[in-house]
Every structure is written in structure tokens, then in C-alpha cells.
Amino acid sequence: MPEKDEKNPFGQGDPHDPKPLREFESDLKTKARRGLGAWKSDYESVQNLLDHLQRYTGSLGTREEYLRTVHKLCKKTDRSPDDLIKLNTEEIEDLIQKLGDDSAGRGCGKRTVNSRMRVLKTFFEVNGQENLELETHHVPSRYSKRSQYIPRKEEIHRMARFTESLRDRAIILFLWTTGLRVSTAMGLNYGDIQEEFEGGEEFVKVPVYPEMKKRVLDACKGKIPYYTFAHPHAVRHLRIYLRRREAKYGPMKQDYPLFHSDWHHWEREERTKKRLNRRSVQRTVKESAKLAGIEEWESVTPHCLRKAFKSILRAPTKDGGRLDEGTQEFFMGHILPGTQDEYYDKDNVEFHREEYSKLDFSLDGENLEFGSGRGEEEPSDILVEEDELSDYLEQGWKFLEKIGDGKYIVTKRDPS
């Protein structure tokens, strides 16, 4: 085990080292976590499955899901995958059925249970065991194992206002006003928005494209390319966050992640180049919901912000109209039903920008005013000590960010 030191207090090894194979990967004798080696196994049965998946999808995320499920069955039965496929049909059906029923009995969601059973059925089918008869679990309409709370507009504004980090405030508003999945947002580079962001575009285009999956595995679901926009309210706070980041780490470059990791195991100069992960965003959203006084804060997830965006799409626009259903689905990154997708004009960026600009993200009865360009004059912020903070707040200064032990940034402007 690596020795503990000041930079690595938990003895977890150098963060620059290649990530080792996970248990399911090493047990199933796969060659690597990423790249072509991820599609190679010394077990013939597993290789048959990987070959099938590569023909069918090519998704590393799907590969991981299938291998994890096969590994569960191997551990449960104490058999290798090659031994499992030698069982007769009735034994295989009993094993899959029992794993599914046991999972459901332990409180696993019914959709997850059925998904695992389908994965195992595929594993055996590609290895010659066809026509397996299984009883899946009934999933009622609108069934959801995990409770979710979709925050209202005023609650999301409070979440952004009460969070203690410029980055986290930018993330919350960006996720909400773009409707992006969290993996997609974390897969963005600064270069993806740089031209319009630096050009002072009011509603900044945010592209989603399959190549993003090279950065983050699930960044472009279904490899469906589309684009959405960031609202000026989100752009303003993104601009403030990136200015502070540049002041701390130096100029932004095209290949830098839009949202960086501040994990202290990275060297200071490395942090701006390191991508934030979805688990950190999950913590950020929940903590912000808690600070905002949302009673069901534990049920607020990044995906809830995407659902809140969908509510905005469906709600009346600022001019009292409604967005076309096809436009709504496009902004969500969905394929339109039937032949509609083929004939939908996805390339008309300015039409979509105009339609997006009609969306109402403001609080009821309140018009939000936003600065436009990168060169706008920004009110001064100052750094104060902890014992000075209360005096400044009483004088009308507003809390902006805590940046270290006993040090705070306050501002005269409205940080909301």
C-alpha cells in the first residue's frame, strides 16, 4: 500500500497513475478499462458477449453494465462465465430467475431487476442458449423506485443564491437553463462555447456531439447530436466563475473543461485542466437545495434540474405562447417520433435561439436584467477576514464566496 504523505494523506497512490482494473473487469479477465482492450477477454463466453455488444452498440457504458451483471451471477453461483454456459436450460432459467427475485426482495427497483434479467438472457443467448423462459417483474405506470423532487423556479434561484461557490452557482444555473444531462455538462470544454461566449452573444449556443464521449463516457446519450442554449442569467454567472478561475490559474484554453475539479490531490496548476465528475455535481446540487431550505433536499438531483427545464419548455412563454412540441423535444436532445425527426430543421440555429429566448426563467412578476458582453464593467469585489464579515454584511455588502480558512469575498452588486 502506498505510504501516506502530506500530499497523499490516505495512501491512495499517485492520482496520475493509470486506473487499475476494477473487480468485475479483472475477474472476467478483460484486458483494459478503456480502448480496444476493453473489448477483449480471456473467457470465450465473455468475448462472445463483448463481440455482440461491439456490433450492437459500441458503448463502453453498456459494456460496463453487462459485465457487471454477468459478474454478479458469477459471484452468486461461484462459477466462471465459461462454466455457466455449460449448464442446461432449466438450470440457467432458475439461476436468472432467482437472481432477479432476490434483487427485488432486497428492495432493488423493478426496472433494474428486469434489466439485469434481460442482460443475462442476452449473455446466454449469444453463447447458444436460446428461447429462455423468464418471468419479469411488473412495472406499474409512472413507477419510480427513487423519489425525486423537482424544484420550482423560485427554489432554483434560491439554490443558486445560497451556494457558497462561484463554480457551483454557475453549475446550477447552467444545468437548469440548458437542460443538459450532468454527464453532458461535465463533458463540455471551454472551446465548445468560446466563440459565442467571448463574442458577447446573449443566448450562448451549447453543442452536444458524439465525440464528447471520448472525454466523458455518457456525455452524448445515444450519440444523438443536438444543441441547446444557456440563458443570460447562467452566462453571467459562468462569466464571473471563469474570470475568477483565470485570475487563480491563468487564461482558459479551448481544451480545458468548462467546469474544473478543485480536488487538492492535484497540483495547483493542474486543477483547471481536470474535469469535474458527476458525483461532485450530485453533492453540489443536494447541498445547495439544503441551504435553500428545500424540505425534500435529499431528493433533489442534477436530473431534477433537467426536469425543471422541461417544465419551463412546457410552460407559457414570455409572450404568452407555447413552444412547438418538436422544438421542445429537440431542446431535450430527444429524437422526434416517426418521420418527424427526418424533416425537422435542426440546422436553423437562429430560429432555435429565438425560440429559446422566449422561455421564462424569471421569478413571477420579476424581470431579470443581464449584462451582455465580456467586456462589461463588473462591480468590485473585496476580500475580507472572518471577523470583518458581519460588519460588511450590515453595511449592505453581499456574500459571494468563501475561498479559504477565514477568508471571504463580498460584493456590492446583487449576486443572485
Side-chain angles (χ1 to χ4, degrees), residues 107-112 142-150 182 278 282 286 296 298-304 307:
C108 192
K110 293 183 178 181
R111 288 195 181 93
T112 301
R142 299 184 179 178
Y143 168 82
S144 177
K145 174 68 177 176
R146 181 184 302 171
S147 63
Q148 290 187 331
Y149 178 79
I150 303 173
V182 62
R278 58 184 301 163
Q282 180 100 346
K286 287 185 181 295
E296 299 179 65
E298 290 181 295
S299 298
V300 180
T301 66
H303 194 67
C304 292
K307 289 188 174 183

Side-chain angles (χ1 to χ4, degrees), residues 79-352:
R79 287 185 170 98
S80 74
D82 283 356
D83 288 336
L84 284 173
I85 64 171
K86 295 175 183 177
L87 299 174
N88 62 49
T89 300
E90 288 186 1
E91 289 176 311
I92 291 172
E93 290 173 346
D94 288 344
L95 286 178
I96 298 176
Q97 193 69 58
K98 191 172 189 310
L99 183 140
D101 293 345
D102 287 350
S103 297
R106 291 195 303 271
C108 192
K110 293 183 178 181
R111 288 195 181 93
T112 301
V113 170
N114 291 342
S115 175
R116 287 177 181 173
M117 293 175 69
R118 284 193 294 269
V119 165
L120 292 173
K121 185 177 181 181
T122 300
F123 167 68
F124 285 106
E125 284 178 344
V126 299
N127 283 289
Q129 294 283 357
E130 299 181 353
N131 302 318
L132 296 175
E133 295 184 3
L134 304 170
E135 295 181 2
T136 56
H137 290 248
H138 172 64
V139 180
S141 300
R142 299 184 179 178
Y143 168 82
S144 177
K145 174 68 177 176
R146 181 184 302 171
S147 63
Q148 290 187 331
Y149 178 79
I150 303 173
R152 301 185 301 275
K153 279 198 293 188
E154 60 270 21
E155 291 175 324
I156 298 175
H157 280 280
R158 286 210 312 271
M159 286 171 61
R161 187 162 62 248
F162 291 161
T163 187
E164 296 182 350
S165 161
L166 293 179
R167 183 198 66 186
D168 294 349
R169 182 175 296 127
I171 287 173
I172 289 168
L173 293 171
F174 191 83
L175 286 175
W176 177 41
T177 66
T178 61
L180 291 178
R181 299 175 177 91
V182 62
S183 293
T184 306
M186 296 308 102
L188 286 168
N189 281 351
Y190 178 63
D192 292 324
I193 67 166
Q194 182 178 12
E195 183 177 352
E196 293 195 356
F197 184 75
E198 294 185 355
E201 186 68 59
E202 188 177 17
F203 297 90
V204 173
K205 177 187 172 186
V206 182
V208 180
Y209 49 96
E211 289 75 17
M212 295 171 66
K213 293 173 74 69
K214 296 177 182 177
R215 307 172 198 156
V216 175
L217 198 58
D218 300 320
C220 184
K221 186 173 182 179
K223 297 184 179 180
I224 301 171
Y226 75 104
Y227 54 86
T228 181
F229 297 89
H231 192 275
H233 193 34
V235 172
R236 174 191 173 196
H237 287 281
L238 181 64
R239 199 180 303 284
I240 294 170
Y241 153 62
L242 291 179
R243 282 179 180 172
R244 188 75 61 195
R245 181 172 157 189
E246 287 183 322
K248 193 172 183 179
Y249 299 113
M252 291 291 294
K253 296 183 180 180
Q254 286 190 343
D255 60 347
Y256 284 4
L258 188 59
F259 298 104
H260 80 295
S261 169
D262 56 5
W263 190 42
H264 286 186
H265 282 207
W266 299 118
E267 297 293 341
R268 179 183 173 87
E269 61 272 13
E270 291 180 300
R271 293 174 197 166
T272 192
K273 307 173 188 177
K274 298 299 181 181
R275 205 171 297 279
L276 191 64
N277 62 47
R278 58 184 301 163
R279 186 170 296 179
S280 297
V281 179
Q282 180 100 346
R283 287 196 298 267
T284 290
V285 170
K286 287 185 181 295
E287 183 63 24
S288 299
K290 184 178 181 181
L291 291 172
I294 297 176
E295 187 173 341
E296 299 179 65
W297 63 270
E298 290 181 295
S299 298
V300 180
T301 66
H303 194 67
C304 292
L305 296 180
R306 177 170 162 83
K307 289 188 174 183
F309 173 72
K310 190 171 185 177
S311 298
I312 296 289
L313 293 177
R314 291 178 170 178
T317 56
K318 288 185 286 190
D319 59 7
R322 299 271 183 178
L323 248 59
D324 175 76
E325 288 188 11
T327 304
Q328 293 180 34
E329 293 301 305
F330 178 77
F331 282 144
M332 292 297 295
H334 295 160
I335 294 179
L336 275 61
T339 59
Q340 293 180 44
D341 196 74
E342 182 179 353
Y343 293 100
Y344 187 81
D345 188 2
K346 308 176 185 69
D347 298 325
N348 194 338
V349 176
E350 294 311 315
F351 164 77
H352 287 103

Side-chain angles (χ1 to χ4, degrees), residues 63-80:
R63 178 199 71 90
E64 180 175 321
E65 176 191 351
Y66 274 65
L67 292 187
R68 284 186 183 276
T69 304
V70 172
H71 183 244
K72 285 181 186 294
L73 186 62
C74 290
K75 289 191 69 175
K76 185 176 180 64
T77 60
D78 197 25
R79 287 185 170 98
S80 74

Side-chain angles (χ1 to χ4, degrees), residues 34-69:
R34 293 288 184 269
L36 293 177
W39 299 96
K40 302 295 181 186
S41 170
D42 289 339
Y43 282 120
E44 183 179 359
S45 59
V46 176
Q47 188 60 53
N48 289 338
L49 176 64
L50 291 172
D51 290 342
H52 167 77
L53 293 176
Q54 195 167 32
R55 290 191 298 268
Y56 174 70
T57 172
S59 166
L60 286 175
T62 301
R63 178 199 71 90
E64 180 175 321
E65 176 191 351
Y66 274 65
L67 292 187
R68 284 186 183 276
T69 304

